[in-house]
Amino acid sequence: MKFYRLLRLMTKEKKYICLAILFGFLAAISSIGLLGAGGYLISQAALEPPLYTLTLTIIAVRFFGLLRAGSRYGERYMSHKATFRILGRLRAYVYDLLEPVTPQIFSKYRSGDLLARMVSDVDRLQFFFLKVVYPPVVMVIVFLLTGIFLIRFSLLLTVVLWLGFFFVAIAVPMILSMVQKRMKPVLREKNGALSNEVSELFYGFTDLKTNLQLSKKNEATEYESAELINAQEREHIVQLKGETIAKGISFMVALGVLFLGVMLVNAGEVNGVMLALLVLVSLTVFETATPMVELPGHIEESHEAERRVFSVSDQDLKPIVEKGEIGVASSRFPQSITFQNVSFAYPGNERSSLKGISFRVNPGEKVAIVGPSGSGKTTVLQLLLQFYYGYSGEINIGNHDIKLMNEESTRELFSVVMQENYFFQDTVKKNLLLAKPNGTEAELKRVLEAVSLQKLPLETMVNGMEISGGERQRLAIARMLLKDAPIVLLDELTTGIDSITEQEIFSVLWPHVRGKSVIYITHRLRDLHLMDKIIVIDKGRILEQGTYKELMKKQHGYFRRLKQLEQELV
Amino acid sequence: MIDRRLNDWAIKNKRLMSGNILLSILSGAIIIGQAYVIATIVQLAFLQKEGLSSLLPLFALLFTLFLLRSILDYAVAKGNLRFASKMKGIFRKSLMEKYIGSSVLHANRYKTGEQVSLYTSGVEQLDDYYRSYLPQLIQSSIIPVMILVVVFLNNVYSGLIMLITAPLIPVFMMLIGSMAEKKTQEQLESMLRFSGHFLETLKGIVTLKLFGRSKTHGEQVKLRSDQFTEATMSVLKIAFLSALMLEVLATISTAMIAVEVGLRLVYGQLTFHTAFFVLLLAPELYQPLKNLGASFHTGRNSIAAAKKVWEVLDEEDRPVQWGEKELNSLSRVKELTLKNVSYQLEQQGRVDEGNGNGLSETAEILSDISLQMTRGQRVAIIGPSGAGKTTLLKVVLGLLSPSEGEILVNGTPLPFFSEEEWLSQVAYVDQFPYIFSGSIFDNVALSKPEASEKEVQRACEFAGVDLFVSEFSNGYETIVGEGGRGLSGGEKQRIALARAFLKRAPIVVLDEPTAGLDLETEAILTKSIETFSEDGMVLMVAHRLQTILKADVVYLLENGRIKGAGSHEELMTASPAYQKMMSAYQGGVSHEVL
């Protein structure tokens, strides 16, 4: 059902939602009341009665005036509060949605794109209550009550009002939504087409220009822009027509009420004093109804955002094999790691990233996996960390197939330092505590000292400008040290870092991994003589493995040639 | 709060402006007329006890007025809509002209994302300015004045109440604008930051998983969001309070008017007709003012977007000059000379906006570069990162315009030739070639769209594209994503080499990749350089010793200046800077046991 999950989330903020609706209703009804009472007041006054008979009406006018201002305030306050609180729930919900499928989901979408889209969809959905749920509810209540109020005078008036309501708030928006439903996909498609074209033009500018294809691309971009603008214009015009018709109908209702009113006064069924009141009420009541024309647009937008957000959880990204619950009791001791004939293709990719990989890392052994970019090095690590499933072959830690092991407790075995290590926008201290929640301040300082960051105060904000790339990597190493897991995984941790800094990083790293198993993934071939074994892969296959000396001895060995090439780099 | 230059565009369109002004006046008149007719009908029916039949002409008049107002509203709104559409097209076109015609896109590749979003959504935001904000502004400065005048003519006291309160509304709005609104703005910004923080958290899921903390973090997200809500609400309270003042002003004055006219009616100082007429007009006076307040936000967004557009359009630039001359008058390029070429960015200031390290390429300059190359030669440029190597390549390609000095082709200055002629003589192999979304075939054929299937295939065989194409079931028709998703760095490089081969240009300009290539691609690259220089000339930024050794001339570039030129051997004996550079990298690896 449409919006089912969203509405369920919302029900948890019942209190604020009800208050917002209450105040919204009061605001609307008091602005009707204000003018109605005003009209009644002058009609009464026109009969030049003694002044005291007017007192009650005067009080009513003032009361409605104040009530309206006050309830508008309450409405604003409560509706914002409800919106923000729903937003909080929505975020937590989306987090919980993404958590189990990260990072598998990124093989399907580019991670940056997906996450940015999720965030902006959530931002859009936060207005679901404010724009989609709340206005119709308030409006229906207002029209119901106003209609009931009018029954006092004549059922006919109520019928005219509700008829107008039906057209303005239900029929016109529905027709509009039907027309727009056909336009929206076109609009989305054109929007996508334009941003594709213009991205390609800007990012591929040099290639386009030097190949004399720029003007062609420019024409294509201009064409898409014109197409999009046309589609938008058509949509806006439909919207405008809807608005005009709705407004016209609300005028007609006012006219009808006036007409009926005069008729009823003539027939003596309604006191003439009431005529002004009726007119003013019927004019004001539609103020809440005309925005309904915008509702289909908001519904469509929210629906689209909802569909995208929740589609993440609907995808089949769960492990195919039922996960086992074998815990890792003796997690303090290094254990062997074996890959047996492991093949794997990322979901949606035709080519396999790994093609029958077999190797073994003995407890306490230091192994480097080297190869050019795109060779499948990192895939090895991702499978080991159980970020992806659906590989063939077997991966074992100790005597256990990792498929049968508890995911969380397996990860306890590893400390990981990657090329891009993630730090939360928080203090150094908080980021370090992530690795060891009960770590003492002294402990943290000791670890910082170990990675030569003793000068960095614990309260410094990470992600601030003052932390350099080299410092970030050392901070990641500090986190690794705090976690003190038996197996250390290093993935391209010095890519994009100059060689002097690289040297510094390694000099703090190697002394701290004694006695641990290490898998070091790199395309730079530095410090590899320190490794017990080197595995060379390209295109998802192992080409060579052996010690540094063994590999360097091979006359035409792949590793030796890679090493030579690297040495010749200026 | 307006943007003068945006307005100038609108003012130029006389029909639009006069349409809007005319509409406002007419709407004002219709609103007043409507109120007058309604008041008359009610008065006649209520006090004079007139029958329905004698009122029919008035009802017909009222109907006509309603109809007229609807039609008028629609017509002008549609006009505004059309104009907004037209303006979007114009803005996009001028932006693109600026981008394409200038060096902006070359000089600052790190801002590409921003440029894309300015072109698409930035321009989109200007739409609102013309579609709703400006018309709203015009209406709210005309209609209230008209109503005020009419009310004054009918009942001075009500007029006075309005006169005192109505101007207070814009004043209050301005007040909110300067005080509470500023705070709200800050709050909105911090809200944006907060949604940025949410993005950060989502990005951090992998890290949280690695530390076994991901399952419980959802709670934290909620907690932080709620804390934020509390902080926001306390600020918003103030902003709402000012809105409350506004509301109080509008409603209380309506109430005051109602009571005032009511009392004067009792004392017979006013007719019922006038009283009702004034009461009907009161909400109409405040409505456009309130609408304007509501659209302030839209207006502000549009103006902010416009500011960014002007920034780009106003940027000073030195476009590359081109002439009419056709190169075939020279048949083939035999000689390329750079004479005292310097390159400098026009505006130094805007380059270095904290993009972090590694982006120093944007600030590169060249001073006094002279070099010469002839057919069959290989020329290598080496130097530390940030020396200006890539900038030099782009100047030679004619993508950037030298600030001083000249480039001679067979002795003729480059600006004499037409751009098309020159670009068809050069092929460029970028360090990070861009792969367009489409088939592998189309990506290679980019350099020669009219090429036959056979030609493209030959180029692919030459560059080793065929070796990986065979791994796909769709072969050359395999669709690769934008940016070449699913292809490795080496494979993208091969596609770029195939493009260059297919183009068969006499000058090949090549930016050698630094690291991470597979051996197969390395070999293909070496072979390609040889093939390219057999019949033409190759200018390349070189990183490999093998490439440098095989170059006929090596130029050492440092801080935008040539610090030495000659063959490797010559430089090794003659240039201390070159020696230092060569030994630096030797030293860099010597600590390892070889």
Side-chain angles (χ1 to χ4, degrees), chain A residues 23 28 30 80 108 134 156 214 223 300 318 368 379 417 481 498 504 526:
Chain A
F23 281 117
S30 57
H80 275 78
K108 197 149 179 201
Y134 162 82
L156 223 51
L214 189 59
Y223 172 78
E300 181 66 21
K318 304 290 179 306
T379 315
V417 183
L481 296 180
D498 65 88
E504 281 169 15
R526 185 165 206 164

Side-chain angles (χ1 to χ4, degrees), chain B residues 499-523:
Chain B
R499 279 178 191 162
F501 184 82
L502 183 66
K503 195 171 180 182
R504 293 214 167 269
I507 304 170
V508 175
V509 177
L510 191 141
D511 207 343
E512 202 175 44
T514 37
L517 284 192
D518 54 291
L519 285 179
E520 214 170 47
T521 308
E522 290 280 357

Side-chain angles (χ1 to χ4, degrees), chain A residues 57-111:
Chain A
T57 322
I58 290 174
I59 289 171
V61 169
R62 288 182 178 153
F63 168 74
F64 280 129
L66 285 173
L67 181 65
R68 184 176 123 158
S71 49
R72 272 261 184 271
Y73 177 78
E75 179 205 2
R76 282 209 179 99
Y77 184 85
M78 288 304 164
S79 61
H80 275 78
K81 185 137 184 171
T83 301
F84 285 144
R85 291 187 65 98
I86 292 168
L87 176 66
R89 291 205 181 267
L90 206 56
R91 284 187 173 150
Y93 191 86
V94 166
Y95 177 89
D96 289 340
L97 219 56
L98 274 176
E99 194 270 338
V101 295
T102 303
Q104 296 98 294
I105 186 113
F106 297 151
S107 61
K108 197 149 179 201
Y109 307 98
R110 245 189 291 194
S111 67

Side-chain angles (χ1 to χ4, degrees), chain A residues 409-531:
Chain A
S409 77
T410 318
R411 286 195 196 118
E412 269 173 37
L413 293 170
F414 302 109
S415 283
V416 190
V417 183
M418 294 180 285
Q419 182 185 342
E420 297 267 346
N421 293 287
Y422 189 81
F423 293 96
F424 290 92
Q425 282 191 357
D426 212 324
T427 58
V428 168
K429 187 177 168 182
K430 283 265 175 63
N431 272 294
L432 287 177
L433 285 178
L434 195 64
K436 192 174 187 183
N438 54 358
T440 62
E441 193 132 322
E443 227 175 322
L444 301 187
K445 280 190 173 148
R446 214 162 44 236
V447 172
L448 281 183
E449 203 167 323
V451 295
S452 326
L453 283 178
Q454 60 273 27
K455 275 184 283 175
L456 199 68
L458 282 174
E459 300 307 320
T460 315
M461 291 294 284
V462 187
N463 288 359
M465 276 289 138
E466 60 268 35
I467 291 189
S468 71
E471 283 173 331
R472 279 176 76 100
Q473 291 310 70
R474 277 185 281 171
L475 209 54
I477 294 171
R479 222 156 48 173
M480 175 201 96
L481 296 180
L482 272 175
K483 193 177 175 188
D484 196 29
I487 304 169
V488 173
L489 305 177
L490 308 167
D491 186 9
E492 303 269 13
L493 77 165
T494 54
T495 299
I497 283 174
D498 65 88
S499 67
I500 294 165
T501 315
E502 182 180 32
Q503 191 56 43
E504 281 169 15
I505 289 171
F506 280 132
S507 67
V508 299
L509 175 68
W510 297 134
H512 290 296
V513 294
R514 278 195 200 107
K516 296 183 190 294
S517 301
V518 175
I519 298 181
Y520 170 38
I521 286 169
T522 180
H523 74 263
R524 287 213 210 173
L525 308 181
R526 185 165 206 164
D527 273 4
L528 292 186
H529 58 283
L530 300 173
M531 297 285 130

Side-chain angles (χ1 to χ4, degrees), chain B residues 307-325:
Chain B
K307 223 164 141 186
K308 282 190 202 150
V309 172
W310 304 136
E311 247 170 54
V312 172
L313 293 183
D314 293 344
E315 212 162 291
E316 274 180 46
D317 190 47
R318 187 179 57 237
V320 184
Q321 301 294 320
W322 295 104
E324 297 296 318
K325 202 163 173 152

